Amino acid sequence: MGDQDYLGSINPEIISFRELVERWTRLTVPVFQRNFVWNVENAKLLTSDLDGLLDGSYEYRFLGTVVLDHGDKEKLERLYNANIIDGQQRLGSLFLLTFAILRKYIDLGAKERVKDRIKHFLRPNRSGLDNPGQIRFLPRLADQECFNSLLYRISTVVMKDDPTQMHIEPGIHNETEFKNIMKSHEKSKPALRQVSDHFDDYLEKKLLETSGGQTVTKRKKLKILDEIFDKSTRNMVICEITLDDSLDEHEVFDRLNNAGVSLTKYDLLRNFLLQRASQAQLTHKELQNLWKKHFGQFENNWPPLRAEKTKSAARDKYVFALANIRIRDLPAKENSNKTRTFASKESAFKVLKEYYGQNYLKDVRGVSKDPSVRKKQAKEDLASAVEDLQQYKMIWDAISKGATSNLPLERTLRSEFGPQQIKRFNEQIGRFKGLERAIDE
């Protein structure tokens, strides 16, 4: 901004959860965000706030700040779409709480209440808007199946002819598919499911409470649910901050996370690569497709690990190991002739950011005035960088005693690359072996 003071317009506003949802026809979690990671302890804090509203201790409960950015810049629809830069965990949890309340209404046979209350959370049937009737919250791709499964029973009540209209595409098409997903999530327990289960238990306890030894009647239960719905949607308030065009959403996201609870080193690296690609004005759908193509399988495939928490730790260790290989390819620091040979865990992301910035990622804004040429270049650069990023994954699996053993690995290397490159591979493998302690920590 040079010597000029900031002249943009950012007006924080305190509004209820329901007001925020109704203000935007789409609330999108961008691909550079982490997946949903709140756990039961986080959910308990939310229900504790709700208890304070229900027992009259508080009139309102402030849940913190949500930072939003207008969606795809080139679309006229931008005034109604927003990317969630900060606050997706609490917003996602509030949607899950709402779903849990609506499912309880269904259990009590109050389907008309479900139809009346869900309409505030669905995209309106408005000229120029696509997907009318779809839920307004769009989680990251990895969370969408679980999110749809928690919405499924509600959608079958509200949209009997085509429940998928309410889902995030491609949706859940029948009861068998729904049951299979729920069964698989019983084992894997995604974070969304854990938080949703807590809300189910919380509501069940509220509905089973007795007064003077008397069992709670259906009428009383419906009254309790009505109050919980109203308090959770109208009396839980949020400070909404919407960025204007003068601020870059990626930079704001990075600064917010560096100032608060840090993302993992792998998350930061992935976000950096996608951020550079987004300079070509790629749409959310294009970025989501790039994440699915280049990162989805890589993030999930860390045998024999299953839990996301342990996979996340393994990805960070891999990034640390990779940084210690790539640092040797970087030029010496200013005023020094020594080759850099070691990256600490704290500097791993900075090392790889420098490496990929120098070797793979062009500033596509100066490549051409033609948007299609810029997009093509950005996608090619990202593909090359990701290929480099994942180059040693097979070796890492072998060393960490994953699915690939050392003997098949050696055979694969010899048949695929030939003997001339074996020496170089052995050097790199040696560096990884020197980092086995990182795997065993």
Side-chain angles (χ1 to χ4, degrees):
M1 299 180 187
D3 296 328
Q4 187 177 16
D5 290 337
Y6 174 68
L7 299 176
S9 56
I10 296 180
N11 299 309
E13 185 176 0
I14 305 294
I15 58 176
S16 70
F17 168 55
R18 176 169 158 178
E19 285 179 297
L20 186 145
V21 172
E22 290 185 317
R23 177 173 293 183
W24 303 96
T25 62
R26 171 78 76 217
L27 289 161
T28 300
V29 180
V31 292
F32 55 78
Q33 283 268 21
R34 72 181 79 193
N35 295 336
F36 186 87
V37 295
W38 266 24
N39 56 32
V40 173
E41 294 307 312
N42 299 116
K44 285 181 178 178
L45 292 175
L46 191 61
T47 49
S48 175
D49 283 333
L50 183 54
D51 280 335
L53 295 171
L54 295 171
D55 66 19
S57 298
Y58 305 98
E59 184 176 359
Y60 296 96
R61 292 303 284 159
F62 177 66
L63 300 185
T65 300
V66 171
V67 181
L68 305 175
D69 180 71
H70 291 309
D72 298 336
K73 303 290 195 220
E74 297 176 351
K75 292 188 176 181
L76 293 176
E77 198 181 275
R78 55 171 293 190
L79 293 177
Y80 309 108
N81 286 346
N83 289 333
I84 305 170
I85 308 306
D86 190 53
Q88 69 123 332
Q89 306 292 332
R90 63 182 68 94
L91 281 182
S93 295
L94 287 169
F95 270 93
L96 296 182
L97 175 58
T98 301
F99 294 169
I101 296 169
L102 296 179
R103 291 195 300 270
K104 288 298 179 188
Y105 277 129
I106 294 173
D107 293 341
L108 294 171
K111 295 182 179 180
E112 292 306 312
R113 275 180 165 88
V114 176
K115 294 175 182 178
D116 177 66
R117 284 155 176 74
I118 191 61
K119 65 185 180 183
H120 304 290
F121 302 88
L122 304 180
R123 284 169 67 82
N125 190 357
R126 183 186 300 169
S127 177
L129 290 182
D130 58 5
N131 303 115
Q134 189 178 60
I135 197 72
R136 297 186 190 219
F137 186 77
L138 180 60
R140 285 192 76 227
L141 190 62
D143 292 324
Q144 289 175 12
E145 181 183 77
C146 187
F147 190 78
N148 281 337
S149 72
L150 301 171
L151 181 63
Y152 180 77
R153 288 184 61 208
I154 301 165
S155 66
T156 58
V157 168
V158 178
M159 297 179 176
K160 291 183 179 180
D161 294 337
D162 184 13
T164 60
Q165 185 180 347
M166 191 183 293
H167 305 165
I168 308 302
E169 299 96 337
I172 300 174
H173 296 86
N174 53 59
E175 191 75 16
T176 300
E177 186 180 347
F178 165 67
K179 289 180 178 178
N180 287 338
I181 292 171
M182 295 298 285
K183 185 177 180 180
S184 70
H185 290 170
E186 281 290 337
K187 295 180 179 179
S188 61
K189 281 290 184 182
L192 283 165
R193 177 68 179 273
Q194 293 179 42
V195 169
S196 179
D197 286 351
H198 168 72
F199 292 147
D200 286 338
D201 293 342
Y202 171 82
L203 294 173
E204 190 65 26
K205 290 176 182 177
K206 287 292 182 186
L207 298 181
L208 289 176
E209 289 177 356
T210 59
S211 176
Q214 298 296 316
T215 302
V216 181
T217 64
K218 176 181 175 181
R219 183 178 178 181
K220 177 65 174 177
K221 287 180 178 180
L222 289 174
K223 186 176 180 180
I224 292 171
L225 281 180
D226 288 343
E227 184 181 16
I228 293 175
F229 180 83
D230 287 340
K231 295 295 185 183
S232 63
T233 59
R234 293 181 179 276
N235 294 69
M236 286 188 164
V237 297
I238 297 164
C239 178
E240 182 203 85
I241 297 176
T242 305
L243 306 179
D244 63 17
D245 288 346
S246 65
L247 295 174
D248 181 81
E249 59 180 305
H250 299 276
E251 182 179 359
V252 172
F253 174 77
D254 187 51
R255 295 294 175 86
L256 284 170
N257 279 279
N258 282 335
V261 178
S262 297
L263 294 173
T264 67
K265 299 298 185 290
Y266 170 78
D267 287 335
L268 289 169
L269 181 59
R270 178 201 61 214
N271 294 348
F272 168 69
L273 297 176
L274 287 170
Q275 175 185 347
R276 289 296 293 267
S278 71
Q279 290 178 347
Q281 293 298 305
L282 298 172
T283 65
H284 171 76
K285 189 169 184 178
E286 287 173 318
L287 284 170
Q288 183 170 269
N289 288 337
L290 287 175
W291 174 84
K292 185 176 182 180
K293 178 179 179 180
H294 295 301
F295 298 99
Q297 185 176 0
F298 177 76
E299 292 183 6
N300 190 54
N301 186 25
W302 292 83
L305 305 177
R306 290 187 175 182
E308 174 55 31
K309 186 175 182 180
T310 54
K311 288 180 184 179
S312 178
R315 291 193 295 264
D316 257 21
K317 291 174 182 178
Y318 177 84
V319 166
F320 170 53
L322 185 62
N324 277 280
I325 288 177
R326 295 309 186 208
I327 194 170
R328 298 167 185 263
D329 298 323
L330 292 175
K333 289 185 177 180
E334 191 175 352
N335 301 323
S336 175
N337 295 322
K338 293 183 178 180
T339 302
R340 288 183 273 177
T341 58
F342 179 76
S344 66
K345 289 183 178 180
E346 290 71 25
S347 66
F349 165 62
K350 291 182 179 179
V351 167
L352 292 176
K353 181 179 179 181
E354 181 181 351
Y355 171 80
Y356 288 114
Q358 289 183 5
N359 293 282
Y360 290 96
L361 305 176
K362 304 177 182 67
D363 187 346
V364 296
R365 292 170 294 187
V367 170
S368 171
K369 293 182 180 180
D370 185 342
S372 63
V373 174
R374 293 200 298 269
K375 287 186 177 184
K376 183 174 182 293
Q377 183 67 59
K379 291 176 181 179
E380 289 175 354
D381 289 352
L382 177 63
S384 297
V386 169
E387 183 180 3
D388 183 280
L389 168 65
Q390 300 177 8
Q391 182 177 0
Y392 297 100
K393 177 61 166 60
M394 185 169 58
I395 299 172
W396 180 267
D397 286 341
I399 296 174
S400 59
K401 300 179 177 62
T404 308
S405 67
N406 284 303
L407 185 57
L409 171 65
E410 185 177 340
R411 290 172 181 167
T412 300
L413 290 175
R414 290 187 181 280
S415 62
E416 192 169 329
F417 300 101
Q420 292 183 353
Q421 295 189 38
I422 292 299
K423 182 178 179 180
R424 175 166 172 77
F425 274 109
N426 284 335
E427 290 175 356
Q428 306 292 15
I429 291 171
R431 294 177 187 174
F432 269 99
K433 285 185 175 179
L435 294 167
E436 282 188 273
R437 62 181 182 277
I439 300 174
D440 296 330
E441 284 182 352

